[in-house]
Structure formats: C-alpha cells, structure tokens
Amino acid sequence: MPFAQLVIGPPGSGKSTYCDGMQQFLSAIGRKCSVVNLDPANEHTSYPCALDIRSLVTLEEVMADEALGPNGGVLYALEELEHNVEWLQRGLDGLGEDYVLFDCPGQVELFTHHASLRNVFFRIQKMGYRLVAIHLTDSYCLTLPSLYISTLLLSLRSMLQLDLPHLNVLTKIDKIASYGPLPFDLEFYTEAQDLSDITPHLLEENPMMRHPKFEGLNNAVIELVEDFGLVAFETLAVEDKKSMMTLLQAIDRAGGYAFGGAEGANDTVWQVAVRDGLRGMSVRDVQERWIDRKEEFDELERREIEEELKARVESEVMDENGDDDDLEEIRGGVPDSGIKVVRSP
C-alpha cells in the first residue's frame, strides 16, 4: 500500500522548498520517494520531478486560450486535471510503491471550497494511497494576532473541506526570533487553546477592533475554532535534521506508515524506531532552540560542523599518506623469495 503527502498552503509558505527538503531527507533514511508537481504555474522545480502536471496543461496556455488571469487559470487547469485524472493515474502506476509527495498550487480556494483538487485527492485515495494533507503556513503569522486568527480559520476550513488525515505546520520557525518578541510562548500558538487570551493584543494591534461589532466578530471566530477543537500546529525548520525528523514522525503516525502493513513484520529501521519512541523535538525544545537560546545553539552547531570538517580533512590526509606508503613499498621491489630460476642454454 503506497503512502503520500498532499502538500498545500498559501503562496510563500514554502511548499516547493519543503518537497525538496523532505525528498532529500527521505532518501537519506532509505525511503524511496518521488515528487509530483500539481502546480501548473511552477515551471522551475527545485526537486527531481517524477510527474509534472505541466506536461498535461500549463498556466500560460490556459491564460492565453481562455483569456483568464493567473488565479482563474490555475482553477481551470485543476479542473482540466480532474477531467483527465486517468493521466495522473497512469503516471502514479509507473511509480510503483514509492512514497509520493504532491506539490500543490498555492491558491487557497483550491483547498477551502473549490471541488476539483479534493476530487483528485479522493481519486488518488481510491487507487490505494494512504494520504496525509500537510498544510504549510509561514510562521510570520504569529507576529500579528489578526494574522494568527486568519490562519486558524484557513486551517479549520481546509481540514473540513479535504476530510483527510491532516497536519498544520508552521514553517520557517528558525526565523521566528528575527521578527521580535511574541506575547505568548510558542506552545500557546501550536496548541490553539484559550484563544480568548489573544483578544487584548488584537485590540492593541488595531484600534478599530475596539468597535463592538468587531469585538463580537472576533469572539465568535475564537469560539468557533475552540468548539471544533481540530486545529493545532507542528513546527518546521526545513534545513534542520531534527526538526524534519520530528515532523516526519508525526506524519507517519497520522498516515499509518509508522505501524507498517503488519506490525513487526518486515519493518524498516525507521518504522521500528518511530514505534519504539524515537525522541524528536517537543514544542518546548523548539522554543528553546529557535527563540530563547537561538544564538547559543547556532554557535554550538557551527563549532560541531567545523570539528566534523576538520576530522574529515585529517582522515583524508591520513588515507593519502597510507596510499603513499603502499606505493613506496611497491616501488621498493618484490622481496627475494629464495627460489632461483635457472634457464637452460
């Protein structure tokens, strides 16, 4: 049974960068992975593309032929994919049991209320894939209460629309310290509970929010998110191996990959490690690493990299010296065996 991630999120959230980094990480741990580009506007992918929607339909062609703008063109292209989903099915059949990453377009209406992308996902699911939706959001949204509330609504609407195992991820968490201090610890934002505590900060952000009608709207939105109780966030620094490992653990549990087809039978080292509790980063670890003590950890990592590089260079020098010694022994000739060969005249 093949597994796949559906990578969604608004523009600039880091979807293509995530697919590139996750593909490299999966390859490093021995999991065969392929990336499928479903964004008709993405003509320059940073990852090896196993299947590309642009071989079926491109945004430029749609805009020229149908006189549509960029957003309408992407919607039209996804409808075209839905009507020609057999093309996608044939391409996926060629990937066998590969773990697949689907790099999706960034138009939020595609995963909030437009039906085409959801119908394509359901068709993929019928092919036997175990799917997990990975909704990426730039962690900059934490810097403004209004942005954070908008992110909560978008995440909730996406979860209800797609109706799949779903993880919301705050990307670029390694940059969060550069945005200035946050009014709450990171755990407040990732757990998305006790949201009424953010109301005073929302009023400080914009005096217009003090109007009774806005106050009532804000309270209604907060109550809506809390009543559903669905939204929470993982964090990610895509260039940090431990951060990637922690997120992949969560994804594997959400999609069932961590438990295998038959638990204990033919499991990979990764599956066994995840099931046995391989320790990742808690939200408090993330707070300490990327916010409270970022400079200290950055310096520590820099020293570790320097020491590793130095050890590698020394090892290469020793190997070269060893080769030179072997060469000198060869040049010295073969030792006399004591056997005399006498040739007859």
Side-chain angles (χ1 to χ4, degrees), residues 46-222:
S46 56
Y47 47 78
C49 193
L51 191 61
D52 193 344
I53 189 178
R54 290 179 61 85
S55 62
L56 174 69
V57 58
T58 68
L59 178 61
E60 296 82 6
E61 292 174 350
V62 171
M63 290 175 63
D65 296 343
E66 305 297 331
L68 294 171
N71 288 339
V74 171
L75 296 179
Y76 186 96
L78 266 293
E79 291 173 357
E80 189 75 12
L81 175 63
E82 180 187 2
H83 295 149
N84 295 275
V85 73
E86 292 78 11
W87 169 87
L88 179 61
Q89 183 170 349
R90 289 193 299 270
L92 293 176
D93 287 341
L95 300 181
E97 294 293 314
D98 284 12
Y99 191 100
V100 180
L101 306 174
F102 290 93
D103 187 3
C104 300
Q107 276 71 12
V108 296
E109 55 266 38
L110 285 170
F111 46 90
T112 57
H113 61 271
H114 194 270
S116 290
L117 191 61
R118 181 186 62 180
N119 293 340
V120 170
F121 290 165
F122 287 168
R123 186 65 177 267
I124 295 171
Q125 199 173 36
K126 287 182 179 179
M127 293 172 58
Y129 278 85
R130 296 286 295 273
L131 303 179
V132 179
I134 310 299
H135 187 176
L136 306 183
T137 304
D138 192 329
S139 59
Y140 181 78
C141 72
L142 306 186
T143 62
L144 292 173
S146 58
L147 273 179
Y148 178 63
I149 291 177
S150 298
T151 298
L152 292 173
L153 275 179
L154 178 60
S155 300
L156 177 59
R157 185 67 191 96
S158 301
M159 297 177 80
L160 298 176
Q161 168 77 0
L162 296 181
D163 195 23
L164 291 166
H166 194 114
L167 288 177
N168 300 301
V169 182
L170 296 171
T171 60
K172 309 177 189 179
I173 201 68
D174 49 325
K175 301 183 185 302
I176 191 68
S178 65
Y179 302 143
L182 299 173
F184 302 99
D185 285 344
L186 190 60
E187 189 173 8
F188 172 84
Y189 298 99
T190 58
E191 296 296 327
Q193 297 177 358
D194 300 321
L195 295 174
S196 58
D197 293 344
I198 206 172
T199 304
H201 299 278
L202 188 63
L203 300 179
E204 291 176 7
E205 178 191 338
N206 190 337
M208 289 182 61
M209 296 296 176
R210 299 182 183 276
H211 193 283
K213 67 178 181 180
F214 287 114
E215 183 178 358
L217 176 61
N218 293 332
N219 291 334
V221 170
I222 287 172

Side-chain angles (χ1 to χ4, degrees), residues 198-272:
I198 206 172
T199 304
H201 299 278
L202 188 63
L203 300 179
E204 291 176 7
E205 178 191 338
N206 190 337
M208 289 182 61
M209 296 296 176
R210 299 182 183 276
H211 193 283
K213 67 178 181 180
F214 287 114
E215 183 178 358
L217 176 61
N218 293 332
N219 291 334
V221 170
I222 287 172
E223 290 177 7
L224 176 70
V225 175
E226 288 184 334
D227 287 347
F228 271 97
L230 295 175
V231 182
F233 295 93
E234 303 291 332
T235 61
L236 176 66
V238 74
E239 295 182 353
D240 183 75
K241 290 186 289 186
K242 197 165 187 180
S243 181
M244 290 287 280
M245 179 190 74
T246 303
L247 178 59
L248 185 58
Q249 284 181 286
I251 294 170
D252 285 350
R253 288 195 173 100
Y257 186 94
F259 310 107
E263 188 167 345
N266 302 319
D267 282 357
T268 65
V269 174
W270 175 260
Q271 289 172 317
V272 174

Side-chain angles (χ1 to χ4, degrees), residues 276-316:
D276 291 346
L278 178 65
R279 186 178 182 277
M281 297 179 74
S282 69
V283 66
R284 294 183 180 178
D285 294 332
V286 176
Q287 171 89 27
E288 183 180 33
R289 170 62 185 90
W290 298 115
I291 300 177
D292 297 340
R293 299 171 58 194
K294 182 179 186 298
E295 293 182 359
E296 181 181 341
F297 276 96
D298 285 347
E299 178 63 20
L300 181 62
E301 285 191 1
R302 185 186 64 80
R303 291 179 181 177
E304 290 177 351
I305 292 173
E306 289 180 351
E307 291 175 0
E308 182 180 345
L309 181 60
K310 182 179 179 181
R312 187 180 304 171
V313 171
E314 290 176 352
S315 176
E316 291 175 355

